[in-house]
Amino acid sequence: MPPKPRTTIHGPVFAASAFFILALVLFAAVWPESAQHLFSVVQDWIITNVSWFYVLAVAIILLTVIFLAISRYGDIKLGPDHSQPDYRDITWFAMLFSTGMGIGLMFFGVAEPVMHFIDPPIGAGSTVFDAREAMNITFFHWGLHAWAIYAIVGLILAFFSYRHGLPLRLRSALYPLIGNRIHGPIGHAVDVFAIIGTVFGVATSLGVGVSQINSGLAHLLGLPVSIPVQIALIVVACGLATISVASGLDRGIRLLSEFNLILAILLLIFVLIFGPTVFLFQTFVQNTGSYLADLVHKTFNLYAYQPNDWIGGWTLFYWGWWVAWSPFVGLFIARISRGRTIREFVRGVLLVPAGFTLFWMTVFGDSAIYMIMIDGMQNLADVVRADSSLALFAFLKALPLSGITSTIAVMMVVVFFVTSADSGALVVDLLASDGNTHSPVWQRIFWSVLMGVVAIALLLADGLTALQTATIASALPFSIILLVAIWGLLKALKLDATKRRIRYQTITRSQPLAGGQSWQRRLRNIVMMPTRRHVLRFIDDVVVPAMQAVADELRRQGYEVAVDTRDGGEVELHVQHHGEYMDFVYAVRPLEQMQPSLAMDEDSSQETRRYFRAEVFLREGGQDYDIMGWSNDEVIGDILDQYERHRTYLHMVHGTNRTTADRPATETVASDALASDPESGS
C-alpha cells in the first residue's frame, strides 16, 4: 500500500479560501463592535436591494428541479447507461431521511411555529388564522425549496462526475460554457465560494446548536447561559469532531448518526402519542394542502407592499442557509445516488426527506401551538419569545418524562453538532484538495478547527445575528454561481439527450445473414447459453479481427486508431478525434448472466447456472445487446452503424454552418470530456 501524501491541497483554492475566512475571523475577534456594525450594514443592504434576487434564484432552482424530473431528461442516468444504483431503495431512502435530520429541526421544530404564531409578519398574532399561517410559513421554509437547493447541487455533481468523468466539484458544471478553463482561475473561484459558503453554513449550525446545548444544560443542570460557556462547548464539541477526523472513526460516527436517527424517530413518536394525536394528524393533512395551494404565492412574496424586516430574519436567512449548506449536503447526496435516473433522484431527494421534515414540524410545532391556544399555556409562548433556544425544553417539560426526554434531546443536539463539524470538515477538505480523496489528517483537522473558530468569532461579534448575516452574505455569490451551473447542466443534458436519441435508434445488422450464415445457425446462436471460454474464443477469433479491419481502414483515412485488450477479456476500438470532437469507443465485454429457465423440461437445478454474453459498450455505457455468434462482417457492420450514429451526433452538436477555425473558444464545448467516463467502456 503506497504511503499517503504529505499534502493534497490545491494551492490556489486552499490559500484563497483559508485567507478570506481567517481574515474575517480576525476582524470579528479583534474589532467586534466594527464587525457588528459591518454585519448590520451588509444585512440591511441585502434585504433592501437584493432580497428579490434570493427569492427569484430559489424559485428558479425549484422550477428547474421539477422540470428535470418531468422532462425527457428524467430518464438519463447519473452514471453510465449500464450502471445500477449503489444502494437499495430502502437504504437510499434511509440515508436521505437522515440528511433531513439535524440541528435545525431540533432548534426550530418548536421555536419557529410558535414565533410565527405569536409574532406573525403581518397582524397582531395568537389567533386561529395566525396558527394556520404559522404552520404554512414553517412548511414553506422547510419544504420543497430547501430540498430543491440540495437536489440541484447533488444532481450537478453526480451528473458531471459519474456520467462524464469530471471532478466531483461544482466547477465541472461550467464545462459546457467555458471548457477546460474550469481548471483555471474561474474554476478556482467557484470552489473558493463553495468552501466559504460551506464553512459559514456549518458555523451557523454550530452556533445554533451550541446555544441550544447551553440552554438544555441550563435547564437540566443549572449551567449559566452565556457566551463564555458557549465558546467552551464549541471547543469541546469541535475537539470531539477533530478526534474523529484524526482517528478515522468514520464507522463510529456513522453508527452514532444512525443511533441518533433512531432516537429522533422515538422522540417524534413519543410526542405524537402524548400530544394531541388526532389534532396532529388533522393538521398535517390540512397543513400539507394549504402549503401546496399557497406555494406559488409564498415563493414570490417579498412583502413589497408591507415593508418590514421579517423576511430578512426568516426567509432570506433560510434561503442563504440552504444555499451555504448545499455543497456539503449536495456532495453527500451525489455520492450515494450513482446509477439512478434523474427522475428517480428528484423523486427521492425532493419528496422523502421533505415529507419527514414537514411531519416533524407538524408534530412539534402544532403540539406547542395547541398547548398555547387550547390549553392556555401562555408561559410556553413567553419562554419562546424570550429565548428561542429554550423552546424545545420548555415544550418537553409540559409532557411526561420531561427529564428523560430533555436529556435525550441534549444528547441528540450534541451528536448532530459533532457529526456536522466532522462531515463538514471532510467535505471542505475534499473541495480544497487536488482530487485525492485520501488526504493527510492535518488538512481535515485544519478545517475542523477553523469551523469552530469561525463559530466562536461570529458569536463574539454579535451572536446569532452575525451568524445569520454571514450566512446570507456568503450565499449571495454562490447563488450566482449556482444559476450559471444550472445553465451549464441544461446545456449538457441537451447534448446528452441528443446523443441518446441518435444512439437508441433501432439496432439492426447491416448484413443479417452475412457470409452465407443460415437462419438455422442464427437461431442456434440466439438460444445458446455460452460459457466464458466460448465468449473469449469468439472475441479473439471474430471481434478482434473485425476491429483490426476497421482500424486499418480508418488509419488509411488518416485517423489515429487503437485496438486494445483489457483485463477480463474486454476488447476496445478507440478512434481519437483530438479534443474538439468526442472520441469514439466501441468495446465488447464478456458479461456473466443468470441463465433463465426457458424450457419446460429444464431441471430446477439449472436455474442457478450462469452463462456469458458478448455485450457491446460505448462511452456512454452498456448497450444491452449481445453479439455472440455474429459473423466477422456482421460485427464490422455493427461497428460502422455505431460509428455512423456517433458522427451524426457530432454533426448535430457542432453544426456545419461554420468551420472549426471560425468558432470561438467558448463554443468548443468539449463533448469529449462531457461524454468521457472511465467506467463506461474505457
Side-chain angles (χ1 to χ4, degrees), residues 207 210 227 230-231 234 454-464 466-467:
V210 78
I227 293 296
Q230 293 176 10
I231 291 174
I234 289 178
V454 169
I456 291 172
L458 293 176
L459 283 176
L460 289 174
D462 195 16
L464 292 180
L467 290 167

Side-chain angles (χ1 to χ4, degrees), residues 28 138 156 162 213 249 329 387 491 503 583 670 675:
T138 303
I156 289 169
Y162 297 140
I213 294 172
L249 297 179
V329 180
D387 185 358
K491 188 169 184 178
R503 194 174 74 246
D583 290 355

Side-chain angles (χ1 to χ4, degrees), residues 12 68 109 169 214 239 304 320 342 408 420 444 455 476 525 566 626:
L68 292 177
R169 308 283 192 278
N214 193 177
I342 290 177
I408 292 174
S420 293
R444 286 169 280 162
L476 180 59
N525 290 334
R566 303 183 182 278
D626 179 17

Side-chain angles (χ1 to χ4, degrees), residues 302-383:
L302 282 161
Y303 298 94
Y305 296 100
Q306 297 158 310
N308 56 56
D309 295 333
W310 181 90
I311 192 173
W314 287 104
T315 303
L316 293 189
F317 165 64
Y318 276 127
W319 287 183
W321 197 4
W322 305 145
V323 170
W325 261 75
S326 61
F328 171 32
V329 180
L331 181 60
F332 169 77
I333 294 174
R335 295 193 68 165
I336 66 173
S337 300
R338 184 182 186 276
R340 296 192 177 273
T341 66
I342 290 177
R343 186 169 293 112
E344 290 175 329
F345 176 89
V346 172
R347 187 170 60 237
V349 175
L350 203 58
L351 299 182
V352 174
F356 174 78
T357 301
L358 298 184
F359 188 64
W360 176 282
M361 288 298 185
T362 295
V363 170
F364 283 83
D366 266 319
S367 293
I369 290 175
Y370 185 92
M371 291 176 181
I372 298 170
M373 188 170 63
I374 306 300
D375 295 339
M377 295 178 57
Q378 187 58 39
N379 62 314
L380 177 57
D382 295 337
V383 169

